Amino acid sequence: MSHLRRIGVITGAALLLTATACSAGKTTVGSLAFRAEDGPVVINYLNTPVQGCHTIGLPRGAAHVYNNTLLDVILYRTPGCQKTEKAPGIYVPTDSSNVTAPGSLPWRSFSVVH
């Protein structure tokens, strides 16, 4: 392979990675898994948009979360991502998990930190 061809291949690969990184900024890239306190059902959100508030689709809310995305999220005890004095929101970094304390309110919604 000639020197110029190698440079062309490397440049093309770099451009492809840059384009992928730019488009990745619009979603969480990965999955968020939610489970109710005593329930076997797990709800997964894949590549969730980073804009807005997202309601957790479990009837009684979620008690367990695993954030396997490239972005951090904030969990809320209210359906509309509102912070309250007693429930300000829980920060869950990328590649981590969290569990509600026994007897506390479940999480009802989340937003993405971007």
Side-chain angles (χ1 to χ4, degrees):
M1 186 182 271
S2 73
H3 180 67
L4 287 176
R5 187 169 176 184
R6 259 187 243 145
I7 290 174
V9 169
I10 292 170
T11 303
L15 288 172
L16 181 61
L17 288 173
T18 302
T20 303
C22 288
S23 66
K26 296 180 182 175
T27 67
T28 56
V29 184
S31 69
L32 282 161
F34 294 99
R35 185 171 61 84
E37 185 173 355
D38 295 325
V41 176
V42 174
I43 294 209
N44 287 299
Y45 290 85
L46 301 173
N47 302 324
T48 307
V50 298
Q51 300 292 334
C53 176
H54 307 280
T55 302
I56 297 170
L58 292 168
R60 291 196 268 166
H64 304 267
V65 64
Y66 181 67
N67 181 5
N68 188 27
T69 70
L70 297 178
L71 297 171
D72 302 341
V73 296
I74 299 175
L75 304 173
Y76 301 93
R77 310 253 186 220
T78 59
C81 295
Q82 293 100 8
K83 294 180 182 180
T84 65
E85 192 173 304
K86 293 182 180 182
I90 307 293
Y91 189 89
V92 181
T94 185
D95 231 6
S96 67
S97 61
N98 202 320
V99 178
T100 60
S104 66
L105 293 173
W107 296 306
R108 301 282 186 182
S109 60
F110 69 95
S111 62
V112 180
V113 179
H114 63 287

